[in-house]
Structures are given as C-alpha cells and as structure tokens.
Amino acid sequence: MMRRLPWLLLSALPLLLGACREASDEYPPYDCTEERMKFYERYNEKTRADLGKRVADFEEALKGELTDAERKEAEQLLDETRERLRDPDFFQRKSVEDLPADLEWEFGMDQPELGSEEAKKGGTLHSYIPGGTYPPNIRSCGKEANNSFRSYHWDDIEMAQISLHPNTNRIIPGLADRWAVGEDGRSVFFHIDDEARWSDGEEVTSEDWMMSFYIYLSDYLSVAFYKNYYSEQFWGITTYGKDYLCIRNAFPKPLAPFWAAIPPSQAGFYKEFGPDFEERYNWRPRPTTGAYVIREEDIQKGRSISLSLVEDWWAKDRKYYKNRFNVDRIEYRQVRDEEKQFQMFLQGDIDIYYLNDAKKWYEQTEVDAAFKGYFERATFYNDYPRVSRGLYFNLSKKPLDNPDVRIGLSHATNWRKVIDLDLRGDAERLNLLNEGFGDISNPDIRARDYSVRKAREAFARAGYTKSGPDGILENDKGRRLSFTITTYKIPAVEAMMLRLKEEARRAGVEYKIEALDPTSAFQKTSRKEHQISFSGWAITPPFPDYYQQFHSKEAYIPGTKKPRPMTNNLSIFADPEVDKILEANRNARSYEVIKNTSRELEQIFHDRAVWIPSYQRPFYRLGYWRWVRWPDDFNVRLASEPEMTHLHWIDQDMKQDTLAAMREGRVFGEKILLFDQYRTLRKPEKGTPEADEGTDAGGESAAPSETDGTERDETPPAVEDEEGADE
C-alpha cells in the first residue's frame, strides 16, 4: 500500500546532513542472511505463542459476565484467532504445487491506456526540491525517510504488485501480471511478471517481498509505525517458489489486492540491513523496479538530486506504462528561497512551477514571456481527496481541552474572508477531514461559520466573559484567550494567518503568529509542543484513514499523560470509545462499514471541534515552458500533482524553436488553458448567492478549453467585507 505524504511534510523537511556518513565504504561488510532466517523462525514461534494466549484469554473472558454486545465481539475474535491458529506462521515457504487449484486469476488489462501516443522520449526536466531544503536521506523507510522528497523518488516511481488506474480507480497490473483473492477474502495471490527486473538487471522474485516484511517488522527501524502497521494489518506472507507469493491481510477487505500490494525490497541490496541501517543506507542509491533510479553521481549534496531513466526499463512497453515516464532525466535543484524559485521559472531555468498562489497567477506571471507564449499556464480540475488543511488544536494544553473554547475559536476564525480576499475566491471552504471520497464523505457536515456572536456565546459557556483592556476576553482567574499558531515562514501563508489574527480580535481572541522556517515548524509540531498548528494531511484513494490521526495509542506515551512525539496524532486526541470506531473503520470488511464509520467519525470530530477546517482547491494551477508537453486532456482524474503520473514529455524540437524565437523576437501568442472535464460541481455553501438561488448541485462539466488569454476575464470578482449576518 502506498500513501501520499502528510501535507505538513510537503513544505517541511529537516536538514540534518551533518549526522550522516559521507560514504558507504566507511561501514564494515555485513551479511544479515543468517540473522534474517532466524528472525523468520523466531517471529513464527512468537506468533504461535501469542495466538495461543489470545485463545486462552478469550475463553476465560467468555466464562465471565458480559453484555450481549461484548460476548458477540469476544466470540467473533475467538473464532478468528482459532482460524488463524490453523495456519499460524507469519513467514512461510511452499512449492508451486501447493498453490490452491481453484484460484480465479485476474489480469486487469481491460482499462484504458494512459498518456499520449504523441509523447516523445528524451530530454531533461529542470525542477526544484519541494520546501527548499535538501532531503536528509534517500531511504524509503526509517527515521526521516517520510520527508517531502520521498514521493518524487519512491511513491511516484517504485512499483508494487498492482496499482489503481488513476482515471477509473480499477486494479491494473504492476510487478504482478495476474492476481487472485482466496476464498477467505484476505489471502491475495500474485504471479510475478516473468520480465520484472530491478534496475541493476536482477530478477524480481518472491524473496524480495520476504525482505520487505523483515525490514518493516524489525526493531532496527527507529520509527514504530512500520512494525505496528505490518504486524497488525497482515497475517503473513507465503512464497510459492520464486514466481508466486501470497500476502494475507489481517481482515477481508474491499479491494483486497490493493491492501496486499507493497513494494519489494531487493534481497541482495539490503543484505547489510542491521542495527546501523538508518545511517549505513542514508545515501546508498537503491535498485528500483520503476522507471527512474538515483545514481551516485545524481546526488550533489546541498545543490541538487536527480533521477535518471532506467536503461531498457522492463515495463517500458507495457500497456499502462508505455506512454509515461518519457523524460530521460529529472533534475531537482535546491533553491531555498521561494521567490528565487519563481524568478528562475520566469527566466526558463526551471521548466514547471506551481501557480496556486493567487498573486502569482493573476499578477506576477503577467510578463512578456507569457504574453508571447514562451511559457503557458493551465488550470486543471482534478477529482482527488482534498488535503485536510486547517488549524489543529493540541488538546493536551489548557484551555484547548475545553470543547466550548474550541467551538468559540472555530467561530472566531474567519476562513471565508481569507478565501475571498487572500485567495481571491479561488478556493472553497473545507468541511471534512477527508473530503473528496465520494459518498464515503459525510455530505451533511458544514464547517462552523465566522460569527462574533456565536464565538462569544461559546466562550461565555467556558467562563470567558470579561473583556481586558485590549479587548481580549478573560475568565475570573485572569486567564486570557491568547493562543499561538505555529505556521510556516512563507509569505502567502503568513498573510492568511495575519488575516485570521485581525478577525479573531473582534471575537475577543488573540492569535499570536509563530512563523518558523519549515524545518523548525515541522520539528516543533512533531514533538507536540504546539498550541495550534496550521498543517494538514494528504491521503490517497480509495479510502480515508483516521486511525493514525486520532487513535489513543498515538496520543500519549503509554502509562503517562505526556504526549507521544513523532506520531500523526497532532491533536493528542484520546477516547477509548472512539478507538473502537477507528479500529472498525481501519479493519472494515465491507464498503458499507467504511462509509458508515467514516461518516460517524467525521461527525464526532466536528461536534468536538478538534480542528478548524480551512480551505480546499478543486484544481491545481501551473506554469510550464512550452517545450513541456501534455496529453490532449492534460492529466488524470486521480492525481494531486501534475507530475505525479509522469504523463508529460519534453519536445526537444519545440525547445530549440522557442529559444530561437526568444532571440529573434518571434511570438506564439499567450496561452491560458482550462481543463475542467473532471470538475465536480459541489453543493453551494449556505449563504452564498448560488445557494440562495437554489442552484442545482451535482453532475460534471466536460471538455477542456483553451483561450488566447484575452477572451476570458480571470480577474476575481469584487467581494464584500462580510462581518457576519448576526452582527
């Protein structure tokens, strides 16, 4: 399973190169093979012992007094544990003859092709490292591996057994050319494509998945997430010779092959996996099954990191890959200053630049290079789960543990004004933690509106009734409603925070803005030292994930009331009753359970005001020099970034022609493109003109359009200074 990164990490990345070793030859040779084989045996023994104890515990519990619901749950868990005890070993090796004879194999070749037949191969794409800071390592797991650069060299590149088609969301082949789900609904069998190869030419075999589980379940990883997830969500792995394997999910799930799909880890490359793994492998370029590889010469520390196309990549002619990964080389430069990144784009030193900043889109790209058509601009509406961007409360800090205070802050925070003015209306109010998952997302929840009256009423319930000399509310003990928002030192973000600060004062709240560099903001929030954090999370389809953000085990260090650092539970939310719903959601056996528990959880988190939703954009915008080309429909429906599926290409002839035109003064004409074939019309917000007029919501518009930049008025409409209808 591959998940996108937390939005918090998209702008933040610790730069700790000083702690890294410079060269792999400083480490003595190491061979983990014997240790790994013994680990499999020990883990199997431990699994059998744990399961036997669980059976005994459930049997003893059933002898006692239980409610009907408790008894039913205990009986179900006992049956499942006994079922697993019939085949308890987590790691198993069998022969091909042991494969079930009645498997119904699927091939996934009935989905539409991706990309354009007109795509040209070759060229170099010049880009920049997100967040402006150099990655601390190029590992895919372990300490600081989940950084803002990981998706570029891992999530978007590395292959698993299968993947989801980014337009239809149906399963398509990856490293496996066929798969089958067993009768139990949890066992997924895969046949590895005979031609699947690592970038070093080695054959991909089932042993590479055995290595993945060894790494993720090992104590050598300092990040507990991997061990917890892979031990709880899987029942085990079985190899059937070198070409077949079975991954057993812990629960029967919809889209079972998706949950069982994980990237392999080449057994030979990770032969030296051991206690010093996180240092030893920091800068070791790994073999890849995907289209791009990082070579030693691609790593220019503090300056750039590049991806090079794998020579004779094994999947280059496969149906879903042949028109993708067209560029020979992608160079990501380290440019710390955001404004400098933008200026480098305007000069043509960077080929692609995101233009989601309204000021850049409407004003700063109004330059000769755009008017003459040397670079083009595009708006693309996608249909992708939205980043849960907003203000997250630290519930372990008073008075944020008081729900009335949190409700009051929700009403005192004027995101509508930020959207209308700072974002120039080019956004919508976000309502849910996981919005954009179709009918899984609760349609009835609306974020609390800005209202000074409602805010003060909530604060009064919490005991904040007195107004201090500066207008900030206080309680009888003289405690002020003053809070620090930890955010990023990025001009566009700082402007939004200052807007919120200004509006909150009218409701008797003081917001102090702590704008830190991305590294410091990330570290402080990860240590749970924040009061309020402006951050968010990006989750990939097909299902939302609430467990990591809100389960009690992720909130506090066991046996203490000290927040547990380095987990995704930024709110330090802990409720044993909600834990049950979170577990049911994660372990759901049907789509209906996922939908119902997701809606229930969203309602709980809304009612308790654990966060303040901010805004979402149903599109992304970018500028690109005209030699960067895209398919006729530009991109896929299910992608949060234009480069994510690598459909673009470099037209070398067009590049030379463009450079010549710039010297000669030739022009091509301004191009501002709009692609709205995947635009989903959302239900209008209460109080907007569309809602007042009873506009019909739902449905889709289609057909991308193109203008020459003069026919469509892109100037945002004037907005009134809303003070709240109840004022």
Side-chain angles (χ1 to χ4, degrees):
M1 179 183 61
M2 296 185 184
R3 293 209 178 274
R4 301 294 293 176
L5 298 175
W7 176 82
L8 170 67
L9 299 179
L10 298 181
S11 302
L13 174 61
L15 182 62
L16 301 173
L17 299 180
C20 300
R21 307 252 187 154
E22 288 298 324
S24 60
D25 57 10
E26 293 184 17
Y27 297 92
Y30 188 79
D31 188 342
C32 71
T33 304
E34 183 178 353
E35 179 184 4
R36 179 161 64 95
M37 298 307 165
K38 290 181 179 179
F39 173 87
Y40 295 152
E41 295 176 5
R42 290 197 311 272
Y43 201 89
N44 286 343
E45 291 173 1
K46 181 179 182 300
T47 300
R48 289 193 291 269
D50 290 346
L51 291 172
K53 184 177 184 305
R54 288 190 67 188
V55 167
D57 290 344
F58 286 133
E59 289 176 340
E60 184 65 27
L62 287 168
K63 294 177 183 178
E65 294 184 5
L66 300 173
T67 65
D68 291 343
E70 291 171 338
R71 183 169 297 277
K72 182 178 179 181
E73 181 182 8
E75 288 173 345
Q76 179 180 344
L77 292 173
L78 176 59
D79 289 343
E80 289 181 353
T81 309
R82 284 173 173 166
E83 177 188 348
R84 188 175 178 190
L85 262 176
R86 287 194 285 269
D87 190 16
D89 288 353
F90 194 97
F91 295 97
Q92 301 183 38
R93 286 187 170 86
K94 299 182 180 181
S95 68
V96 177
E97 290 73 23
D98 295 320
L99 276 168
D102 57 348
L103 294 175
E104 296 184 7
W105 294 99
E106 299 179 45
F107 298 87
M109 297 302 292
D110 56 345
Q111 299 304 299
E113 291 185 3
L114 294 165
S116 171
E117 292 289 345
E118 298 178 2
K120 298 180 179 180
K121 304 294 182 178
T124 297
L125 182 76
H126 300 284
S127 189
Y128 53 94
I129 295 174
T133 51
Y134 204 81
N137 59 69
I138 54 170
R139 286 182 280 99
S140 62
C141 62
K143 182 181 180 181
E144 294 174 348
N146 194 25
N147 56 62
S148 63
F149 191 68
R150 196 189 88 150
S151 63
Y152 294 86
H153 74 88
W154 175 260
D155 300 82
D156 297 344
I157 303 298
E158 203 63 63
M159 300 178 71
Q161 302 97 308
I162 56 91
S163 64
L164 298 179
H165 191 286
N167 272 330
T168 68
N169 220 21
R170 301 296 180 88
I171 298 174
I172 57 175
L175 290 171
D177 58 7
R178 56 186 181 271
W179 57 92
V181 180
E183 289 185 359
D184 60 4
R186 57 164 56 93
S187 299
V188 186
F189 298 83
F190 299 98
H191 176 263
I192 304 167
D193 193 308
D194 292 335
E195 297 184 17
R197 293 291 185 274
W198 293 96
S199 54
D200 60 3
E202 291 294 317
E203 182 182 7
V204 178
T205 73
S206 58
E207 191 65 24
D208 298 323
W209 277 273
M210 293 285 277
M211 175 61 84
S212 283
F213 275 97
Y214 171 59
I215 291 172
Y216 294 142
L217 294 171
S218 170
D219 289 328
Y220 295 148
L221 294 185
S222 61
V223 181
F225 164 79
Y226 301 94
K227 187 173 185 178
N228 292 338
Y229 182 84
Y230 283 88
S231 63
E232 294 170 0
Q233 293 301 302
F234 295 98
W235 273 13
I237 174 175
T238 304
T239 62
Y240 296 86
K242 68 181 181 65
D243 296 328
Y244 290 89
L245 73 149
C246 173
I247 306 291
R248 290 189 293 166
N249 295 318
F251 306 92
K253 293 184 176 183
L255 282 178
F258 168 80
W259 297 106
I262 63 173
S265 303
Q266 193 195 66
F269 176 74
Y270 288 103
K271 189 177 180 179
E272 294 188 349
F273 178 84
D276 60 2
F277 163 72
E278 292 178 339
E279 290 187 356
R280 183 184 289 253
Y281 281 83
N282 262 351
W283 297 106
R284 285 193 182 182
R286 70 180 187 280
T288 176
T289 59
Y292 293 108
V293 65
I294 298 175
R295 300 174 178 147
E296 287 189 12
E297 59 268 28
D298 290 335
I299 303 171
Q300 302 294 322
K301 291 184 180 178
R303 290 189 294 166
S304 69
I305 189 165
S306 301
L307 304 181
S308 296
L309 188 68
V310 174
E311 186 176 352
D312 199 26
W313 178 43
W314 74 272
K316 64 184 176 64
D317 297 321
R318 291 294 196 270
K319 177 178 180 179
Y320 302 114
Y321 303 96
K322 63 180 182 178
N323 297 321
R324 299 167 60 191
F325 307 101
N326 303 301
V327 179
D328 278 348
R329 183 175 173 83
I330 308 172
E331 180 183 286
Y332 295 97
R333 302 180 187 180
Q334 182 183 9
V335 185
R336 292 182 180 276
D337 184 71
E338 183 185 11
E339 184 57 32
K340 186 176 180 181
Q341 294 171 1
F342 180 57
Q343 292 303 319
M344 289 178 68
F345 165 71
L346 294 180
Q347 295 166 12
D349 295 326
I350 288 175
D351 294 322
I352 296 178
Y353 190 85
Y354 294 91
L355 292 171
N356 286 333
D357 182 336
K359 186 174 183 179
K360 286 184 171 66
W361 176 261
Y362 288 113
E363 299 175 16
Q364 295 179 331
T365 50
E366 295 290 291
V367 296
D368 279 349
F371 300 150
K372 295 176 179 178
Y374 301 148
F375 72 77
E376 302 173 359
R377 288 167 284 178
T379 298
F380 182 83
Y381 282 83
N382 59 358
D383 187 15
Y384 199 80
R386 305 306 171 192
V387 173
S388 57
R389 185 185 290 109
L391 299 178
Y392 285 80
F393 300 127
N394 185 335
L395 273 60
S396 70
K397 294 185 180 292
K398 294 183 177 299
L400 293 171
D401 58 339
N402 187 321
D404 282 320
V405 169
R406 301 195 299 269
I407 290 172
L409 292 175
S410 299
H411 286 300
T413 305
N414 198 347
W415 279 113
R416 169 47 55 192
K417 200 163 190 177
V418 168
I419 292 170
D420 289 342
L421 299 183
D422 298 282
L423 300 177
R424 306 196 184 194
D426 282 350
E428 302 169 359
R429 184 70 196 272
L430 188 66
N431 296 297
L432 305 174
L433 283 154
N434 285 291
E435 193 157 331
F437 284 92
D439 66 347
I440 291 176
S441 300
N442 193 326
D444 300 323
I445 295 176
R446 287 290 179 268
R448 291 178 175 85
D449 59 310
Y450 176 75
S451 168
V452 172
R453 176 178 61 80
K454 292 177 183 177
R456 289 180 178 269
E457 288 174 352
F459 293 142
R461 294 195 297 270
Y464 291 84
T465 57
K466 299 179 181 179
S467 184
D470 58 355
I472 303 303
L473 291 173
E474 301 175 351
N475 62 13
D476 290 339
K477 297 180 180 179
R479 180 162 192 165
R480 290 158 45 86
L481 280 177
S482 179
F483 304 92
T484 298
I485 299 176
T486 300
T487 186
Y488 304 117
K489 197 171 185 61
I490 297 173
V493 174
E494 289 181 271
M496 290 188 283
M497 295 301 109
L498 290 173
R499 179 84 61 191
L500 298 181
K501 175 186 177 77
E502 178 184 291
E503 292 293 298
R505 290 193 69 87
R506 299 180 59 248
V509 174
E510 179 183 45
Y511 278 154
K512 298 177 181 178
I513 309 304
E514 182 184 43
L516 305 176
D517 66 84
T519 296
S520 300
F522 166 66
Q523 291 175 336
K524 181 169 184 174
T525 304
S526 296
R527 293 193 301 265
K528 313 297 175 65
E529 295 172 354
H530 63 288
Q531 275 190 301
I532 302 174
S533 173
F534 178 55
S535 53
W537 307 97
I539 303 296
T540 56
F543 304 120
D545 180 14
Y546 300 90
Y547 186 96
Q548 295 180 53
Q549 280 185 264
F550 296 104
H551 197 279
S552 297
K553 66 183 294 186
E554 308 292 336
Y556 293 99
I557 296 174
T560 75
K561 275 298 180 182
K562 184 177 179 180
R564 184 176 178 179
M566 307 309 292
T567 74
N568 291 344
N569 191 337
L570 298 186
S571 308
I572 304 91
F573 180 93
D575 185 326
E577 292 304 311
V578 178
D579 286 347
K580 296 176 182 177
I581 309 172
L582 291 164
E583 291 161 7
N585 180 264
R586 168 177 269 198
N587 304 327
R589 300 162 185 264
S590 70
Y591 182 85
E592 282 301 309
V593 172
I594 293 173
K595 182 178 77 172
N596 293 338
T597 53
S598 295
R599 291 188 174 196
E600 185 177 5
L601 288 167
E602 289 282 5
Q603 192 65 58
I604 289 170
F605 298 135
H606 172 78
D607 292 344
R608 301 192 189 183
V610 299
W611 76 311
I612 305 176
S614 61
Y615 63 91
Q616 60 159 316
R617 288 190 179 97
F619 57 80
Y620 53 74
R621 281 175 169 160
L622 73 156
Y624 53 92
W625 284 78
R626 68 185 294 266
W627 53 77
V628 182
R629 308 313 300 162
W630 308 84
D632 290 340
D633 58 354
F634 195 78
N635 224 306
V636 296
R637 178 171 69 94
L638 294 164
S640 59
E641 301 170 3
E643 300 160 87
M644 189 173 171
T645 47
H646 289 267
L647 301 182
H648 54 280
W649 68 92
I650 302 291
D651 189 317
Q652 299 281 32
D653 294 334
M654 188 174 286
K655 182 171 185 177
Q656 295 306 315
D657 183 49
T658 304
L659 295 176
M662 293 170 68
R663 292 192 299 269
E664 299 163 3
R666 285 188 286 121
V667 300
F668 302 102
E670 184 178 14
K671 277 194 176 181
I672 302 176
L673 307 176
L674 171 66
F675 299 89
D676 62 354
Q677 65 268 32
Y678 300 122
R679 183 175 187 176
T680 300
L681 302 181
R682 301 179 185 277
K683 184 177 180 181
E685 296 180 37
K686 183 179 179 182
T688 63
E690 291 85 354
D692 295 340
E693 294 171 7
T695 303
D696 184 27
E700 296 181 344
S701 64
S705 60
E706 176 181 329
T707 77
D708 63 2
T710 60
E711 296 178 4
R712 189 173 80 254
D713 181 9
E714 296 225 26
T715 305
V719 293
E720 295 183 2
D721 188 0
E722 289 187 343
E723 301 295 338
D726 46 63
E727 285 302 292

